[in-house]
Amino acid sequence: MKARKDEILTIVLFCGFLSVMLLCYLLLPKKDFSEKEKRYLEKAPVFSGEELLSGKLSDSIEKYMADHIPGRDFFVGLDAYVSLLSGRQITGDVRLLTGERIVEAPVEWNETAVQKNVSAILSFADSLDRPIDFMIIPSAGWASDNSRVATLDFFGQESYADEQHISSVYGRMDENVRCMDTLNVMRGREELYYRTDHHWTSEGAYEMYRAYMTSLNRKYLSKEEFTVESVPGFRGSTYSRSALWNVSGEDLELWHSGTELLVTNGESDDTHKGVFYRQRLEENDKYTVYLDGNHSIVRIENPAMAGAGKLLVIRDSYSNSLGCFLAESYETVVLVDMRYYKKPASQLCAQEEFADILVCYSIGNFMSDTNLVWLR
């Protein structure tokens, strides 16, 4: 009799749980954007005969329900911690290392992408008939080679082959492409990367700025010429992708030199005073405080460096912070993101006289980018 009552109680509790979840699902407001995951959630599916027959409607319904389940943040986080504690995090695209450091998984060699991107850079340099500079930024996981996976790892400790990958890419360049030694700048210095984001910190960007200016025999500002402002509570892209919601935030640093820099983004004619867009600090993605995030083309003017020449940077998001430093040593720095700038970069070079030209990519983006063909 007692066993019968226990079965009934279990059924009642289970049905009650399902009923509460259904009511919450129907009555609670739906969000368009997940602040923790930094992504837009699936929109409500639109019924049509074509969608039904193709099977896309059922997929849309499944994705919508998964994105808007009540308590989604809790369940996503619970799954992440179960994967972490069971040693399965190694199968995802991010890793939790000791010291609450969340890094991306090792970058895999992509021969197809490498061939296309190397060919695009070589053709670009040949078309300009002048040397250009090239740097690939190694990953935070490679720089954190002394850290270990934080919990059980049933698959063994991974190795990051950034050094071999970068050396191999550099080895395919000719005399028109001067390759920057980024490995010795970043090797073993995990503090030059954020704990919760894949980008380098302001200090990491500064170290590369100093190294690059030294290689060009150009003057650069010393660390002592900057005032550092720390902004607490930063949680970046690897935190959002990990769903490890209990990992603490960190400081995002703004390095102020006192130089009056003027910024113009390609999508607007408005001029912004300074390289930091402070209103972005109130948003979830605080990294966009640097130059207002990603834009097709960004122009930074430094009136104090009149006559010091122009620098063109073909870049990804790592140069959002790097560009803030580079502008200290040139009259003008033009940053072009080929993901959004769909004009030949050679055309831009024909229109303006650049003292130096730099192609700067993180290793992850270089191995996956399909937009360098626009360099032609």
Side-chain angles (χ1 to χ4, degrees), residues 76-262:
V76 169
L78 178 63
D79 179 68
Y81 278 99
V82 169
S83 296
L84 178 69
L85 294 173
S86 63
R88 291 186 292 114
Q89 71 149 330
I90 212 75
T91 62
D93 65 348
V94 294
R95 310 285 185 265
L96 177 65
L97 305 184
T98 53
E100 291 193 318
R101 184 169 295 278
I102 309 175
V103 301
E104 292 184 315
V107 174
E108 296 183 2
W109 180 263
N110 185 333
E111 179 63 27
T112 301
V114 168
Q115 286 184 2
K116 289 182 178 179
N117 292 338
V118 167
S119 177
I121 293 172
L122 290 173
S123 298
F124 178 55
D126 289 342
S127 69
L128 300 178
D129 194 25
R130 55 164 294 177
I132 65 172
D133 302 312
F134 177 47
M135 65 171 70
I136 300 180
I137 312 303
S139 66
W142 174 83
S144 302
D145 59 356
N146 291 325
S147 297
R148 317 305 287 175
V149 173
T151 57
L152 297 176
D153 177 7
F154 296 154
F155 294 83
Q157 184 66 29
E158 291 178 297
S159 61
Y160 283 76
D162 296 33
E163 186 159 359
Q164 296 93 312
H165 293 344
I166 292 174
S167 297
S168 180
V169 173
Y170 281 2
R172 302 186 184 199
M173 298 299 171
D174 62 21
E175 65 277 2
N176 284 331
V177 181
R178 301 178 299 202
C179 298
M180 178 71 194
D181 182 6
T182 58
L183 294 167
N184 282 326
V185 177
M186 312 302 287
R187 179 179 282 108
R189 301 188 64 184
E190 63 182 20
E191 74 278 4
L192 298 184
Y193 294 85
Y194 290 110
R195 287 190 298 101
T196 63
D197 192 81
H198 66 287
H199 293 105
W200 51 20
T201 62
S202 291
E203 183 179 6
Y206 172 81
E207 291 293 343
M208 196 58 65
Y209 154 69
R210 180 170 63 179
Y212 182 46
M213 292 300 97
T214 299
S215 73
L216 296 178
N217 293 316
R218 272 187 174 266
K219 292 182 178 179
Y220 60 87
L221 296 188
S222 66
K223 284 186 177 182
E224 291 71 28
E225 294 178 81
F226 291 91
T227 301
V228 178
E229 174 190 1
S230 295
V231 180
F234 174 63
R235 291 180 172 88
S237 60
T238 51
Y239 168 84
S240 298
R241 288 153 56 188
S242 73
L244 301 173
W245 308 138
N246 289 332
V247 170
S248 61
E250 58 186 317
D251 287 348
L252 180 148
E253 291 185 345
L254 308 181
W255 288 36
H256 301 277
S257 66
T259 307
E260 294 186 3
L261 302 173
L262 302 175

Side-chain angles (χ1 to χ4, degrees), residues 23-49:
L23 287 173
C24 290
Y25 183 83
L26 294 174
L27 299 177
L28 290 177
K30 306 295 187 294
K31 296 191 299 182
D32 295 325
F33 185 80
S34 171
E35 293 185 356
K36 286 185 177 293
E37 296 177 78
K38 289 186 175 66
R39 71 176 183 88
Y40 286 95
L41 301 176
E42 190 76 14
K43 294 182 178 180
V46 178
F47 178 82
S48 70

